[in-house]
Amino acid sequence: RPVSLGQALEIIIKLQIRQVKEKQLKHGRERCEIQEKLNHIQQALFPLHEKIKDSHSKYLELKMKHEELSDQLGEVIRDQKAEFEVKAAYKVMLETFAEYDALLKEQQELEVQLTKMEQMVPNEIYMTPQERHVLDWHCAIWSSLMPLLCRPSR
């Protein structure tokens, strides 16, 4: 069915407003997803921090024990089992550090991404009231001129 110029503009404006709202929703969802990822990372960091403390203290304890045994006898004793335990504790500690560092790096990347998103917030409105007033004024002018412009010539 045919529509007038004013009706066509109203339809276009409503579609544009809808598109603006959809962009806002998409932006909000993406921010929520990033914040949830950050929350999961922060929850994973705390147990890793505790594991680092435990593995470090275990490593130091085993290393001290091995050194005390060597010092008591006054010579370097090569106890393969003790050396293996020290090296295994050291390896666990390094693996935990690597896992912790990877999570920290991921957290920093997500925080950068989140700050970029916060700086690039989509528009909240399609048209300000002043812009709408100007558009309505132009539509009124066009609608008043159309009958004059569309008259058949004699």
Side-chain angles (χ1 to χ4, degrees):
R1 81 175 211 247
V3 294
S4 69
L5 177 63
Q7 291 171 333
L9 283 174
E10 278 299 317
I11 292 171
I12 290 171
I13 289 170
K14 285 180 183 177
L15 289 173
Q16 292 293 342
I17 290 171
R18 182 178 178 184
Q19 186 178 23
V20 166
K21 297 295 180 190
E22 288 173 355
K23 284 181 182 179
Q24 285 177 327
L25 286 172
K26 181 182 176 194
H27 184 265
R29 283 188 201 112
E30 289 173 355
R31 280 186 60 198
C32 284
E33 288 173 7
I34 291 174
Q35 288 173 341
E36 286 176 11
K37 288 177 185 177
L38 274 172
N39 190 18
H40 290 302
I41 288 173
Q42 290 171 349
Q43 288 175 357
L45 283 175
F46 182 73
L48 272 178
H49 189 14
E50 294 300 315
K51 188 176 177 183
I52 287 173
K53 284 181 187 177
D54 294 341
S55 63
H56 185 256
S57 62
K58 183 178 178 183
Y59 167 73
L60 289 177
E61 180 183 321
L62 289 171
K63 188 175 178 185
M64 293 281 196
K65 232 186 246 184
H66 183 66
E67 288 174 357
E68 284 177 9
L69 186 62
S70 296
D71 287 345
Q72 287 175 356
L73 298 174
E75 58 189 49
V76 176
I77 297 177
R78 189 158 166 102
D79 183 6
Q80 291 178 348
K81 183 180 177 186
E83 283 182 26
F84 177 77
E85 288 175 347
V86 169
K87 288 181 181 180
Y90 185 72
K91 182 182 176 193
V92 168
M93 186 177 65
L94 288 181
E95 289 171 350
T96 309
F97 277 136
E99 190 177 347
Y100 189 83
D101 287 342
L103 282 176
L104 278 179
K105 184 178 179 183
E106 187 177 349
Q107 179 184 6
Q108 290 171 347
E109 289 171 358
L110 287 174
E111 286 172 349
V112 166
Q113 195 176 4
L114 190 62
T115 55
K116 283 182 183 177
M117 286 189 78
E118 288 172 353
Q119 292 170 354
M120 298 178 71
V121 177
N123 291 336
E124 291 185 20
I125 57 173
Y126 171 65
M127 197 180 293
T128 65
Q130 293 86 7
E131 293 170 335
R132 179 61 192 252
H133 183 70
V134 169
L135 182 64
D136 288 342
W137 182 80
H138 284 290
C139 286
I141 296 293
W142 269 98
S143 65
S144 65
L145 291 177
M146 283 308 254
L148 299 174
L149 296 175
C150 294
R151 281 190 189 163
S153 58
R154 295 184 197 203

